[in-house]
Amino acid sequence: MGGTVGCWAAFSIMGNTGLYFELNKLVPVIDILEKKGGEAAIAAIYQGLPGGSIALFVIIIITLIFLSATLDSSSFTLASAASKKLSLDQEPARWHKIFWALVIELVAFSMMFGGGLHALQSVVVITSVPLILIMAIASISLIKWIKEDQAESSSIEKTINEEPTKLTS
């Protein structure tokens, strides 16, 4: 939830700041966006703020930290899933985690340098389509499981409520 609130705050604050800069002709955000792209527009908005260069540097450092943490947890998860006979209290081998980290980096760099952001966006859209089907199946399964659990709970409750009447008869 913290990440969601943080993203909401960042987008609303920086979005409104960019809009303010554009409307008051302080920073030509739309021109920068059209000529140099989104990354340059974001940098220009940050640099338009008092102490903007410092804020931009801090944002870059925070982004690197979060990317490192994401890569670490992703490689750990993939190595755990790909390891055979790994007990719950064991960690996957270090070389296995490094292997998956390198694979993730290789895929990211190849998409980034192979076709830029548009290729990356296309890959994200294409790979999300099967996930929609999987999420639909998981949702249907969850609904069935909840209905079965409710039916079982009411059956147990009915049995418990009938037991005292049998004992008194």
Side-chain angles (χ1 to χ4, degrees):
M1 173 141 168
T4 303
V5 172
C7 285
W8 173 80
F11 280 110
S12 63
I13 291 168
M14 294 311 295
N16 286 326
T17 302
L19 185 61
Y20 176 81
F21 285 166
E22 180 65 35
L23 292 176
N24 292 304
K25 300 189 184 341
L26 299 171
V27 176
V29 178
I30 293 176
D31 292 338
I32 295 170
L33 181 64
E34 289 175 350
K35 292 176 184 168
K36 297 181 182 177
E39 300 86 1
I42 292 170
I45 292 169
Y46 273 107
Q47 290 174 343
L49 296 170
S53 296
I54 295 169
L56 187 58
F57 178 74
V58 169
I59 292 297
I60 290 170
I61 297 300
I62 290 172
T63 302
L64 287 174
I65 290 169
F66 282 114
L67 283 173
S68 298
T70 301
L71 179 62
D72 181 52
S73 61
S74 298
S75 63
F76 179 87
T77 303
L78 286 169
S80 295
S83 296
K84 291 183 179 181
K85 299 180 183 177
L86 192 66
S87 67
L88 290 175
D89 59 341
Q90 275 184 311
E91 288 195 14
R94 181 170 290 165
W95 70 267
H96 208 181
K97 291 188 287 189
I98 292 171
F99 168 77
W100 284 110
L102 291 173
V103 167
I104 293 169
E105 288 176 11
L106 180 67
V107 169
F109 281 127
S110 65
M111 285 192 298
M112 190 168 65
F113 294 119
L117 186 59
H118 295 293
L120 182 63
Q121 288 172 337
S122 298
V123 168
V124 168
V125 170
I126 290 169
T127 56
S128 68
V129 171
L131 290 177
I132 293 171
L133 180 63
I134 292 170
M135 290 302 294
I137 292 169
S139 298
I140 292 168
S141 177
L142 175 65
I143 291 168
K144 285 182 179 179
W145 177 72
I146 289 172
K147 286 180 180 178
E148 288 174 6
D149 188 54
Q150 285 177 340
E152 186 177 315
S153 295
S154 64
S155 164
I156 292 172
E157 190 174 299
K158 185 177 177 184
T159 304
I160 291 172
N161 289 337
E162 289 177 358
E163 287 297 319
T165 57
K166 287 181 182 177
L167 292 174
T168 57
S169 325

PDB file of all heavy atoms in Angstrom, residues 1-2 15-16 27 37 56 62 66 70 83 88 99 105 164:
ATOM      1  N   MET A   1       0.824  -1.188   0.000  1.00  0.00           N
ATOM      2  CA  MET A   1       0.000   0.000   0.000  1.00  0.00           C
ATOM      3  C   MET A   1       0.871   1.255   0.000  1.00  0.00           C
ATOM      4  O   MET A   1       0.511   2.248  -0.615  1.00  0.00           O
ATOM      5  CB  MET A   1      -0.913  -0.018   1.213  1.00  0.00           C
ATOM      6  CG  MET A   1      -1.668   1.257   1.347  1.00  0.00           C
ATOM      7  SD  MET A   1      -3.316   0.957   1.885  1.00  0.00           S
ATOM      8  CE  MET A   1      -3.781   2.594   2.273  1.00  0.00           C
ATOM      9  N   GLY A   2       2.010   1.199   0.672  1.00  0.00           N
ATOM     10  CA  GLY A   2       2.898   2.349   0.717  1.00  0.00           C
ATOM     11  C   GLY A   2       3.400   2.721  -0.660  1.00  0.00           C
ATOM     12  O   GLY A   2       3.511   3.906  -1.000  1.00  0.00           O
ATOM     13  N   GLY A  15       2.957  15.740 -11.726  1.00  0.00           N
ATOM     14  CA  GLY A  15       2.055  16.036 -12.836  1.00  0.00           C
ATOM     15  C   GLY A  15       1.490  17.445 -12.738  1.00  0.00           C
ATOM     16  O   GLY A  15       1.468  18.193 -13.724  1.00  0.00           O
ATOM     17  N   ASN A  16       1.054  17.810 -11.549  1.00  0.00           N
ATOM     18  CA  ASN A  16       0.528  19.157 -11.357  1.00  0.00           C
ATOM     19  C   ASN A  16       1.626  20.205 -11.481  1.00  0.00           C
ATOM     20  O   ASN A  16       1.386  21.297 -11.994  1.00  0.00           O
ATOM     21  CB  ASN A  16      -0.173  19.273 -10.005  1.00  0.00           C
ATOM     22  CG  ASN A  16      -1.511  18.572  -9.997  1.00  0.00           C
ATOM     23  OD1 ASN A  16      -2.201  18.555 -11.009  1.00  0.00           O
ATOM     24  ND2 ASN A  16      -1.876  17.989  -8.879  1.00  0.00           N
ATOM     25  N   VAL A  27       8.536  26.370 -17.808  1.00  0.00           N
ATOM     26  CA  VAL A  27       9.302  25.303 -18.460  1.00  0.00           C
ATOM     27  C   VAL A  27       8.437  24.790 -19.611  1.00  0.00           C
ATOM     28  O   VAL A  27       7.279  24.418 -19.390  1.00  0.00           O
ATOM     29  CB  VAL A  27       9.609  24.150 -17.473  1.00  0.00           C
ATOM     30  CG1 VAL A  27      10.308  23.004 -18.182  1.00  0.00           C
ATOM     31  CG2 VAL A  27      10.437  24.631 -16.298  1.00  0.00           C
ATOM     32  N   GLY A  37      11.486  13.584 -25.617  1.00  0.00           N
ATOM     33  CA  GLY A  37      10.913  12.405 -24.983  1.00  0.00           C
ATOM     34  C   GLY A  37      10.538  12.632 -23.525  1.00  0.00           C
ATOM     35  O   GLY A  37      10.827  13.673 -22.924  1.00  0.00           O
ATOM     36  N   LEU A  56      16.708  15.739  -8.469  1.00  0.00           N
ATOM     37  CA  LEU A  56      16.872  14.788  -9.568  1.00  0.00           C
ATOM     38  C   LEU A  56      17.921  13.738  -9.227  1.00  0.00           C
ATOM     39  O   LEU A  56      17.730  12.547  -9.475  1.00  0.00           O
ATOM     40  CB  LEU A  56      17.249  15.530 -10.853  1.00  0.00           C
ATOM     41  CG  LEU A  56      17.297  14.711 -12.130  1.00  0.00           C
ATOM     42  CD1 LEU A  56      15.951  14.047 -12.406  1.00  0.00           C
ATOM     43  CD2 LEU A  56      17.702  15.593 -13.305  1.00  0.00           C
ATOM     44  N   ILE A  62      17.474   6.815  -5.547  1.00  0.00           N
ATOM     45  CA  ILE A  62      16.362   6.007  -5.031  1.00  0.00           C
ATOM     46  C   ILE A  62      15.904   5.000  -6.078  1.00  0.00           C
ATOM     47  O   ILE A  62      15.636   3.833  -5.769  1.00  0.00           O
ATOM     48  CB  ILE A  62      15.198   6.920  -4.581  1.00  0.00           C
ATOM     49  CG1 ILE A  62      15.596   7.683  -3.312  1.00  0.00           C
ATOM     50  CG2 ILE A  62      13.926   6.120  -4.339  1.00  0.00           C
ATOM     51  CD1 ILE A  62      14.605   8.753  -2.906  1.00  0.00           C
ATOM     52  N   PHE A  66      15.827   0.895  -5.643  1.00  0.00           N
ATOM     53  CA  PHE A  66      14.629   0.083  -5.832  1.00  0.00           C
ATOM     54  C   PHE A  66      14.798  -0.915  -6.976  1.00  0.00           C
ATOM     55  O   PHE A  66      14.313  -2.045  -6.897  1.00  0.00           O
ATOM     56  CB  PHE A  66      13.396   0.957  -6.042  1.00  0.00           C
ATOM     57  CG  PHE A  66      12.865   1.530  -4.765  1.00  0.00           C
ATOM     58  CD1 PHE A  66      12.902   2.885  -4.541  1.00  0.00           C
ATOM     59  CD2 PHE A  66      12.340   0.716  -3.783  1.00  0.00           C
ATOM     60  CE1 PHE A  66      12.429   3.423  -3.358  1.00  0.00           C
ATOM     61  CE2 PHE A  66      11.861   1.233  -2.588  1.00  0.00           C
ATOM     62  CZ  PHE A  66      11.905   2.593  -2.384  1.00  0.00           C
ATOM     63  N   THR A  70      14.530  -4.929  -6.562  1.00  0.00           N
ATOM     64  CA  THR A  70      13.622  -5.689  -7.422  1.00  0.00           C
ATOM     65  C   THR A  70      14.367  -6.796  -8.153  1.00  0.00           C
ATOM     66  O   THR A  70      13.886  -7.933  -8.231  1.00  0.00           O
ATOM     67  CB  THR A  70      12.934  -4.748  -8.430  1.00  0.00           C
ATOM     68  OG1 THR A  70      12.217  -3.752  -7.712  1.00  0.00           O
ATOM     69  CG2 THR A  70      11.986  -5.509  -9.336  1.00  0.00           C
ATOM     70  N   SER A  83      15.080 -24.401  -8.617  1.00  0.00           N
ATOM     71  CA  SER A  83      15.912 -25.349  -7.863  1.00  0.00           C
ATOM     72  C   SER A  83      15.109 -26.593  -7.518  1.00  0.00           C
ATOM     73  O   SER A  83      13.963 -26.501  -7.075  1.00  0.00           O
ATOM     74  CB  SER A  83      16.417 -24.708  -6.564  1.00  0.00           C
ATOM     75  OG  SER A  83      17.261 -23.625  -6.857  1.00  0.00           O
ATOM     76  N   LEU A  88      12.004 -25.630   2.631  1.00  0.00           N
ATOM     77  CA  LEU A  88      11.485 -24.302   2.938  1.00  0.00           C
ATOM     78  C   LEU A  88      12.512 -23.396   3.620  1.00  0.00           C
ATOM     79  O   LEU A  88      12.468 -22.189   3.458  1.00  0.00           O
ATOM     80  CB  LEU A  88      10.243 -24.420   3.825  1.00  0.00           C
ATOM     81  CG  LEU A  88       9.008 -24.996   3.135  1.00  0.00           C
ATOM     82  CD1 LEU A  88       7.892 -25.190   4.129  1.00  0.00           C
ATOM     83  CD2 LEU A  88       8.569 -24.128   1.978  1.00  0.00           C
ATOM     84  N   PHE A  99      22.969 -16.234 -11.894  1.00  0.00           N
ATOM     85  CA  PHE A  99      22.579 -16.616 -13.254  1.00  0.00           C
ATOM     86  C   PHE A  99      21.266 -15.950 -13.644  1.00  0.00           C
ATOM     87  O   PHE A  99      21.153 -15.347 -14.717  1.00  0.00           O
ATOM     88  CB  PHE A  99      22.456 -18.144 -13.366  1.00  0.00           C
ATOM     89  CG  PHE A  99      21.791 -18.591 -14.635  1.00  0.00           C
ATOM     90  CD1 PHE A  99      22.490 -18.588 -15.836  1.00  0.00           C
ATOM     91  CD2 PHE A  99      20.456 -18.994 -14.641  1.00  0.00           C
ATOM     92  CE1 PHE A  99      21.874 -18.996 -17.012  1.00  0.00           C
ATOM     93  CE2 PHE A  99      19.839 -19.396 -15.807  1.00  0.00           C
ATOM     94  CZ  PHE A  99      20.544 -19.396 -16.998  1.00  0.00           C
ATOM     95  N   GLU A 105      18.853  -9.147 -16.558  1.00  0.00           N
ATOM     96  CA  GLU A 105      19.549  -7.969 -17.081  1.00  0.00           C
ATOM     97  C   GLU A 105      19.727  -8.059 -18.590  1.00  0.00           C
ATOM     98  O   GLU A 105      19.545  -7.068 -19.300  1.00  0.00           O
ATOM     99  CB  GLU A 105      20.908  -7.814 -16.405  1.00  0.00           C
ATOM    100  CG  GLU A 105      20.823  -7.372 -14.971  1.00  0.00           C
ATOM    101  CD  GLU A 105      22.174  -7.331 -14.293  1.00  0.00           C
ATOM    102  OE1 GLU A 105      23.213  -7.443 -14.970  1.00  0.00           O
ATOM    103  OE2 GLU A 105      22.193  -7.169 -13.069  1.00  0.00           O
ATOM    104  N   PRO A 164     -27.583 -30.368  19.891  1.00  0.00           N
ATOM    105  CA  PRO A 164     -28.205 -30.199  21.205  1.00  0.00           C
ATOM    106  C   PRO A 164     -29.658 -30.702  21.250  1.00  0.00           C
ATOM    107  O   PRO A 164     -30.100 -31.220  22.268  1.00  0.00           O
ATOM    108  CB  PRO A 164     -28.155 -28.688  21.437  1.00  0.00           C
ATOM    109  CG  PRO A 164     -27.069 -28.194  20.549  1.00  0.00           C
ATOM    110  CD  PRO A 164     -27.041 -29.128  19.394  1.00  0.00           C
TER     111      PRO A 164
END
